[in-house]
Amino acid sequence: MPPVAAAPPGPTGRSGLLRSLLSLVLALGLVLAAPVAAARALSAADLPARPPAEHVLDGADVLSRAGKAEIERQLQAFSAERVDARLVTLSRLDYGLDLSTLAGQLVQRWSADPPAGSSPDPLLLLLIDTQTRSTAIAAQAPLDRQLPDELLESTAATTMAQPLRSGDRYRQAAVDALLRLATVLQGGEDPGEPVVEEAAAVVSNIPTREETSSSNAFTWVIVLLVVGTVVPMLTWWVFSR
């Protein structure tokens, strides 16, 4: 049988092949671009140049609508104490940048160019990094006289951090921190760090190795074995004579 020559691809075949190649290129582009987008880190320059209209900047998108509204009300209430309080959440920091440094840079950035003829309230910034569950608080002078560094560090490291360690409770972390700082700003005594509840030890009926080693049970077992063996032998010897 003579060999059958394959017909050259027609216009329809070539266009289908091009479409397949184009789809493959687009798919590969999406796969390669996804890690780049996910790995995009943030610095102070990536945040707004001026304080946004809303006091909650949830860049990590971890707050529900109700939680965000609750925190927004708390932050706005600080205006009664002549304080511009704000919360920022983010999901990834630039390489080599820690959250405390970013908080200080953001305070400088948002207070460097105030509107002409205005005397803005000093900034109080609360930051949460959702990737590392780290927290930081920074205050603009002269607010640092009312809220010293020791208080801000304690509030960030304990009051905010504990709800995050126990289950990513971002709303609770912000609410608890704002309540503590507001109490001090209003002249009250610092409520202090939250109490860490320790899990109660489970009582077990199984004796420990120390209890087992110090027990007299083994001695009694030996005594009973000896008595159970010797007494029958003596009885047999007496009655067999």
Side-chain angles (χ1 to χ4, degrees):
M1 178 181 295
V4 179
T12 304
R14 284 196 296 268
S15 62
L17 180 60
L18 289 175
R19 284 196 298 270
S20 300
L21 290 175
L22 181 59
S23 301
L24 179 60
V25 171
L26 290 175
L28 288 174
L30 291 174
V31 171
L32 294 175
V36 175
R40 183 176 181 272
L42 293 177
S43 63
D46 298 309
L47 297 172
R50 292 175 177 271
E54 293 184 347
H55 291 71
V56 178
L57 184 58
D58 186 19
D61 195 23
V62 292
L63 297 172
S64 65
R65 181 178 300 180
K68 186 175 180 180
E70 179 184 3
I71 297 172
E72 181 74 24
R73 288 192 297 269
Q74 279 190 290
L75 293 168
Q76 290 179 0
F78 276 73
S79 60
E81 306 299 329
R82 307 289 298 175
V83 175
D84 184 8
R86 297 176 178 274
L87 171 69
V88 179
T89 70
L90 44 94
S91 57
R92 187 178 179 88
L93 283 178
D94 199 359
Y95 179 76
L97 179 65
D98 62 83
L99 199 61
S100 298
T101 302
L102 176 62
Q105 292 176 353
L106 195 56
V107 167
Q108 294 179 357
R109 180 180 176 88
W110 283 357
S111 60
D113 188 21
S118 65
S119 179
D121 297 332
L123 287 168
L124 174 64
L125 299 185
L126 287 73
L127 276 69
I128 300 177
D129 179 7
T130 59
Q131 184 185 42
T132 60
R133 296 181 182 177
S134 56
T135 56
I137 304 177
Q140 180 186 357
L143 187 58
D144 52 358
R145 291 200 294 264
Q146 296 174 269
L147 301 176
D149 291 340
E150 295 78 9
L151 173 62
L152 300 184
E153 293 172 0
S154 171
T155 303
T158 61
T159 308
M160 294 184 72
Q162 182 175 324
L164 300 183
R165 288 193 299 263
S166 61
D168 292 341
R169 295 183 295 161
Y170 299 102
R171 183 200 67 84
Q172 194 65 48
V175 168
D176 291 349
L178 292 174
L179 287 174
R180 181 178 178 181
L181 297 176
T183 301
V184 176
L185 281 174
Q186 294 167 3
E189 185 178 356
D190 178 18
E193 299 178 354
V195 177
V196 179
E197 297 182 359
E198 297 183 358
V202 179
V203 179
S204 174
N205 294 326
I206 301 176
T208 62
R209 180 178 297 178
E210 292 78 9
E211 293 172 344
T212 304
S213 61
S214 61
S215 174
N216 295 325
F218 183 74
T219 304
W220 281 107
V221 170
I222 297 299
V223 171
L224 291 176
L225 286 176
V226 172
V227 172
T229 303
V230 174
V231 169
M233 293 179 63
L234 289 175
T235 304
W236 173 83
W237 184 78
V238 170
F239 286 100
S240 65
R241 290 177 65 88

